[in-house]
């Protein structure tokens, strides 16, 4: 059975003897039992508390009190060889105030001081090892001393003060206050003097509950009526950019001094001295500020303050509420409002008339116009003004509109209707303010409410209106009443006739159309435009060599070679008429001359004419110049006749590109024969 103790090797028996050498600690003693057959184990632990037979304790029942005698005793030692005293682990030396008994078992203090607080032990040597005793923590009871009453020496009638009494004391002292015939307890005293007295005596007594000792402190308070009834007088509202004066007054004896503070929130903007201050809000200021006046008694230096919330007269956010569109004959209400401090006056103006109020009822009587409604707001303090205007669009119940969803397209039929009239006495149609007359192409319905075009022409574009004279009373016999009514001109319909595209052209900017062919040099850039007449504006698509190029009306064109001849096409498409037209030119990129060839017989016979042809690969074309018999002849074909007896004849052809001026030449030598020559 192994018994484990202090890290020793296991002992396989059930008994153990221990010699304790340490102290003031708990040491675990563990036993583990193992079955010799099953090898099962069980463990148990006993915590051994090590105690010390030696301790430091007071020699009497008395508490350690500063200024009195006190002794400590090293108890438990029977025959000590030596005793050493420790305070806070350091040896204690004898002095006139600290003395030891002959056997060192007792240490005495006379008198005890507050600095003697600490942890005391005695170390006893009885055997081989010295034994250190259990500690004694000594807390010296002292005080009270240094009793102090804090707070002011001068109090103002009606103002609450809190006085505090403190003392140097252990344990904590208890405090008793006496003020006149009133007694209270605790370290604090709340005092509010209700009437004026020459002086007021305040007493605080601090008592140590352990020693029973007490010390008293006194404070003589001077009582004053202090600054009271502090008031600020001045305007309730200020004007931005204009100085306003404020005056501060207070009841003081014998006199008061004044300090001003202008603050915005918790930030102090400015300070000033004297009972009067001038404040000028910056221009544009719309926020409020706080003006504080502190009155201070010139004798007691006591103070009291008063504050005034300053408002700056302001004007902002002027609006007119109401409909922006009004119909003829109906009544509408409009209200003008503003953010205004302290108050404002309102002036409304409409159709040349002025109304001194903020609300206005309007019945529209005119038509097809925009009339301004103006509101002028004036601040009653600063006289600052703000103006706002609402433009009222006056509409009438009549309008011209198409009879179908289709758009007006040149060459097709199209109709307009005078809508809104229930029982018109008469309808007159106007185009650009002039009457429209019927024709084979322009016709009207029997009641004149509909006007039809068949076909529609491009020249029919314009502003169409119907002039309606209503027959509201159905009184066809009362001609005088009908004639007295004012005809109403309808809302107009601006008709844009959709047409095109007309003829499409490819042009060089500032140079005109390019024609069927356009010669350009390799790598050059030409600015081209695709022009057509079209409403709405046609979309343009360019193709070069049957490939998409661009969708811009103007392009910077650079040819791609090969090929040296390719079609450049622009297509104009009208999204409304769904028609398109095309313009095309052949782009020619100059090439050659190359592969110059002379075609004809290989030899010549004297007296027999022969024909020769010069050709070359050349774009756009070449001109040809022959050199025969030392002379130049132009043309692609030449006829040669030899009349002299020579063995051979030389000819040459020079091909020249008519656009670039580049040349290439070929020469041939022809044999000459005479079948009739005998050689003699």
């Amino acid at each position: 059975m192994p018994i484990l103790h202090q890290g020793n090797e296991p002992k396989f028996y059930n008994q153990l003897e221990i010699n304790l050498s340490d102290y003031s600690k708990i040491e675990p003693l563990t036993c583990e039992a193992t079955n010799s057959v099953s090898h099962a184990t069980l463990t148990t632990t006993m915590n051994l508390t090590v105690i010390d037979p030696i301790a430091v304790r007071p020699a009497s029942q008395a508490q350690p009190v500063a200024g009195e005698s006190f002794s400590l005793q090293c108890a438990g030692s029977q025959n000590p060889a030596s005793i050493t005293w420790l305070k806070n682990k350091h040896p204690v030396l004898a002095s006139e105030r600290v003395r030891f008994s002959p056997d060192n078992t007792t240490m005495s203090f006379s008198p005890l001081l507050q600095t003697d607080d600490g942890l005391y032990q005695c170390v006893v040597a009885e055997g081989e090892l010295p034994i250190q005793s259990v500690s004694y923590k000594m807390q010296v009871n002292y005080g009270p001393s240094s009793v102090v009453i804090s707070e002011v020496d001068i109090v103002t009638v009606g103002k609450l003060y809190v006085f505090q009494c403190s003392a140097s004391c252990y344990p904590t002292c208890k405090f008793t206050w006496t003020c006149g015939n009133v007694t209270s307890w605790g370290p604090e005293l709340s005092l509010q003097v209700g009437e004026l007295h020459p002086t007021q005596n305040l007493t605080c007594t601090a008592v140590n509950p352990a020693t029973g000792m007490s010390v008293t402190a006194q404070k003589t308070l001077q009582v004053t009526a202090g600054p009271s009834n502090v008031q600020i007088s001045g305007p309730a509202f200020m004007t931005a950019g204009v100085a306003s004066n404020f005056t501060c007054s207070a009841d003081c004896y014998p006199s008061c001094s004044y300090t001003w503070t202008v603050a915005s929130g918790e930030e102090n903007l400015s300070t000033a001295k004297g009972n009067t201050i001038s404040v000028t809000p910056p221009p544009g200021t719309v926020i409020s500020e706080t003006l504080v006046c502190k009155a201070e008694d010139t004798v007691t230096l006591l103070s009291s303050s008063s504050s005034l919330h300053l408002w700056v007269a302001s004007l902002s956010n002027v609006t007119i509420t109401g409909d922006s569109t009004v119909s003829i004959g109906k009544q509408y209400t409009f209200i003008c409002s503003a953010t205004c401090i302290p108050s404002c006056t309102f002036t409304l103006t409409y159709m040349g008339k002025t109304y001194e109020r903020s609300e206005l009822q309007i019945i529209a009587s005119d038509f097809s116009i925009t009339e301004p409604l103006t509101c002028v707001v004036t601040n009653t303090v600063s006289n600052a003004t703000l103006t706002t205007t609402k433009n009222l669009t006056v509409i009438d119940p009549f309008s011209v509109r198409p009879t179908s969803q289709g758009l007006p397209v040149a060459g097709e039929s199209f109709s307009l209707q005078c809508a809104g009239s229930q029982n018109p006495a008469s309808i007159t149609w106007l185009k650009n303010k002039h009457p429209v007359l019927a024709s084979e192409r322009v016709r009207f319905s029997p009641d004149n409410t509909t006007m039809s075009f068949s076909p529609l022409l491009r020249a029919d574009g314009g502003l169409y209106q119907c002039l309606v004279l209503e027959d509201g009373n159905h009184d066809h016999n009362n001609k005088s009443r009908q004639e007295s009514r004012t005809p109403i001109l309808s809302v107009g319909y601006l008709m844009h006739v959709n047409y095109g595209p007309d003829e499409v052209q490819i042009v060089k900017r500032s140079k005109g159309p390019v024609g069927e062919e356009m010669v350009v040099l390799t790598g050059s850039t030409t600015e081209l435009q695709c022009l057509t007449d079209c409403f709405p504006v046609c979309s343009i698509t360019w193709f070069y060599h049957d490939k998409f190029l661009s969708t811009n009306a103007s392009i910077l064109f650079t040819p791609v070679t090969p090929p040296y001849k390719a079609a450049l096409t622009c297509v104009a498409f009208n999204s409304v008429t769904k028609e398109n037209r095309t313009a095309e030119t052949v782009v020619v990129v100059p090439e050659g001359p190359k592969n110059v060839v002379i075609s004809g017989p290989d030899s010549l016979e004297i007296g027999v004419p022969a024909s020769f042809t010069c050709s070359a690969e050349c774009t756009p074309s070449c001109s040809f110049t022959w050199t025969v018999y030392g002379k130049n002849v132009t043309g692609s074909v030449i006829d040669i006749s030899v009349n002299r007896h020579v063995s051979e004849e030389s000819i040459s052809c020079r091909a020249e590109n008519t656009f670039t001026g580049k040349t290439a030449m070929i020469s041939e030598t022809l044999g000459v024969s005479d079948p009739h020559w005998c050689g003699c």
Side-chain angles (χ1 to χ4, degrees):
M1 187 179 296
I3 298 176
L4 308 179
H5 173 65
Q6 292 189 349
N8 294 331
E9 292 296 326
K11 306 294 184 180
F12 290 92
Y13 44 83
N14 60 2
Q15 183 176 346
L16 180 67
E17 293 182 359
I18 297 174
N19 183 21
L20 299 173
S21 59
D22 207 347
Y23 55 91
S24 299
K25 62 183 288 187
I26 296 176
E27 180 68 32
L29 175 62
T30 302
C31 174
E32 180 183 278
T34 302
N35 188 292
S36 59
V37 175
S38 66
H39 301 292
T41 62
L42 283 178
T43 302
T44 186
T45 298
M46 174 183 288
N47 288 320
L48 305 179
T49 300
V50 183
I51 63 174
D52 189 351
I54 302 173
V56 173
R57 62 190 64 169
S60 65
Q61 296 293 327
Q63 294 290 324
V65 177
E68 299 182 3
S69 298
F70 190 75
S71 298
L72 293 177
Q73 183 180 16
C74 183
S77 176
Q78 301 299 324
N79 297 296
S82 66
I83 295 176
T84 302
W85 286 87
L86 303 177
K87 174 188 177 185
N88 299 330
K89 302 298 185 180
H90 299 286
V92 180
L93 302 179
S95 66
E96 291 184 359
R97 191 177 60 81
V98 181
R99 298 179 182 178
F100 299 96
S101 62
D103 57 359
N104 260 19
T105 57
T106 301
M107 177 173 59
S108 299
F109 302 87
S110 183
L112 192 64
L113 301 181
Q114 183 179 340
T115 56
D116 291 327
D117 284 347
L119 188 67
Y120 289 87
Q121 295 171 285
C122 58
V123 180
V124 179
E126 290 186 338
E128 296 180 356
L129 295 175
I131 299 175
Q132 192 169 317
S133 73
V134 176
S135 301
Y136 170 74
K137 181 174 179 59
M138 183 166 67
Q139 182 68 55
V140 179
N141 299 286
Y142 60 89
S145 62
S146 304
V147 180
V148 176
I149 299 176
S150 61
E151 250 299 341
V152 298
D153 295 327
I154 303 174
V155 295
T156 302
V157 174
K159 186 175 180 180
L160 180 64
Y161 297 88
V162 178
F163 293 88
Q164 293 182 335
C165 189
S166 61
S168 179
C169 194
Y170 184 87
T172 303
C173 279
K174 294 183 178 181
F175 300 93
T176 302
W177 293 89
T178 302
C179 183
N181 298 324
V182 179
T183 302
S184 61
W185 294 267
E188 291 185 351
L189 173 67
S190 296
L191 178 64
Q192 185 175 15
V193 179
E195 57 185 14
L196 191 62
H197 297 284
T199 58
Q200 183 78 46
N201 292 324
L202 186 62
T203 302
C204 171
T205 301
V207 179
N208 190 317
T211 64
M213 297 176 62
S214 65
V215 175
T216 298
Q218 287 187 336
K219 179 186 285 286
T220 300
L221 303 177
Q222 293 183 4
V223 182
T224 178
S228 61
N229 194 28
V230 181
Q231 293 183 347
I232 300 175
S233 59
F237 294 91
M238 297 188 298
T239 301
V242 178
S244 297
N245 295 325
F246 296 88
T247 302
C248 186
S249 62
D251 295 333
C252 287
Y253 183 82
S255 62
C256 274
S257 63
Y258 300 92
T259 302
W260 296 90
T261 301
V262 180
S264 177
E266 297 182 356
E267 180 184 1
N268 291 337
L269 303 180
S270 62
T271 59
K273 298 287 187 180
N275 67 328
T276 302
I277 187 174
S278 179
V279 179
T280 304
T285 300
V286 296
I287 61 173
S288 61
E289 296 176 342
T290 302
L291 183 62
V292 179
C293 172
K294 184 178 73 172
E296 184 178 84
D297 191 289
T298 55
V299 175
T300 64
L301 302 182
L302 296 177
S303 63
S304 183
S305 299
S306 179
S307 61
L308 177 65
H309 201 58
L310 301 180
W311 289 96
V312 179
S314 62
L315 172 61
S316 62
N317 301 327
V318 179
T319 57
I320 299 176
T321 57
D323 296 333
S324 296
T325 303
V326 297
S327 296
I328 294 176
K330 293 184 179 181
Q331 180 172 294
Y332 296 85
T333 300
F334 298 90
I335 299 175
C336 184
S337 61
T339 301
C340 198
I341 298 175
S343 62
C344 283
T345 60
F346 297 84
T347 302
L348 289 165
T349 302
Y350 180 70
M351 298 281 292
K353 295 183 179 180
T354 300
Y355 307 88
E356 298 294 334
R357 55 179 180 265
S358 62
E359 185 173 333
L360 182 65
Q361 282 78 37
I362 293 174
I363 298 178
S365 58
D366 207 346
F367 50 89
S368 301
I369 63 169
T370 298
E371 185 67 31
L373 172 62
T374 302
C375 177
V376 179
V377 185
T378 304
N379 189 291
T380 56
V381 173
S382 66
N383 293 321
T385 62
L386 281 180
T387 302
T388 187
T389 298
K390 177 187 282 288
N391 289 317
L392 306 182
T393 301
V394 183
I395 62 174
D396 66 45
F398 302 104
S399 63
V400 174
R401 64 187 67 169
T403 59
S404 64
Q405 297 292 329
L407 294 173
V409 177
E412 299 180 4
S413 297
F414 193 75
S415 297
L416 295 175
Q417 181 183 18
C418 183
S421 176
Q422 303 298 324
N423 298 293
S426 67
I427 296 177
T428 303
W429 285 88
L430 304 177
K431 174 189 175 184
N432 299 331
K433 304 295 183 180
H434 299 287
V436 180
L437 302 178
S439 66
E440 292 183 0
R441 194 178 57 82
V442 181
R443 298 178 181 178
F444 300 94
S445 63
D447 59 357
N448 258 18
T449 57
T450 303
M451 177 173 57
S452 301
F453 302 85
S454 182
L456 193 65
L457 301 182
R458 188 185 308 182
D460 291 325
L463 179 66
Y464 288 85
Q465 295 170 282
C466 56
L467 186 63
V468 180
L469 180 63
E470 285 192 295
D471 187 14
N473 295 322
H474 308 286
D475 187 1
H476 298 282
N477 296 322
N478 192 344
K479 294 184 179 180
S480 62
R481 291 189 56 148
Q482 293 180 21
E483 291 174 356
S484 64
R485 288 194 296 272
T486 302
I488 300 175
L489 186 62
S490 74
V491 175
Y493 171 73
L494 183 59
M495 182 166 68
H496 293 286
V497 180
N498 299 278
Y499 61 88
D502 290 346
E503 180 185 3
V504 181
Q505 288 185 323
I506 300 175
V507 301
K508 292 183 180 179
R509 182 180 287 275
S510 303
K511 293 185 179 181
V514 297
E516 295 182 357
E517 283 192 352
M518 181 178 67
V519 181
V520 292
L521 296 176
T522 302
S524 65
T525 298
T526 305
E527 185 175 0
L528 300 176
Q529 292 178 305
C530 186
L531 301 181
T532 186
D533 191 8
C534 194
F535 185 86
V537 177
C538 281
S539 63
I540 304 296
T541 306
W542 292 85
F543 297 92
Y544 175 56
H545 192 45
D546 296 328
K547 294 182 180 180
F548 170 78
L549 184 62
S550 175
T551 56
N552 295 325
S554 298
I555 62 171
L556 296 176
F557 175 74
T558 301
V560 178
T561 54
Y564 293 94
K565 281 189 177 183
L568 175 64
T569 305
C570 80
V571 179
F573 175 71
N574 189 318
S575 60
V576 176
T577 66
K578 307 301 181 184
E579 294 183 0
N580 65 71
R581 297 191 71 172
T582 301
E584 182 175 288
T585 186
V586 176
V587 178
V588 178
V589 181
E591 182 191 22
K594 62 181 180 180
N595 298 327
V596 183
V597 176
I598 297 176
S599 301
D602 296 333
S603 61
L604 299 172
E605 290 184 12
I606 295 176
V608 179
S611 181
F612 294 88
T613 301
C614 187
S615 61
E617 295 180 12
C618 198
T619 302
S621 63
C622 274
S623 62
F624 300 93
T625 302
W626 297 84
T627 302
V628 181
Y629 307 140
K631 296 181 179 180
N632 293 331
V633 180
T634 60
S636 60
V637 179
I638 189 173
D639 293 327
I640 300 176
S641 179
V642 180
N643 296 318
R644 55 180 183 166
H645 291 281
V646 292
S647 60
E648 59 184 20
E649 190 71 55
S650 295
I651 62 173
S652 64
C653 175
R654 184 179 76 248
E656 181 179 354
N657 190 300
T658 57
F659 187 83
T660 63
K662 292 183 179 180
T663 62
M665 180 178 288
I666 187 172
S667 299
E668 287 191 4
T669 301
L670 304 174
V672 180
S673 63
D674 185 359
H676 305 288
W677 184 57
C678 62
C680 58

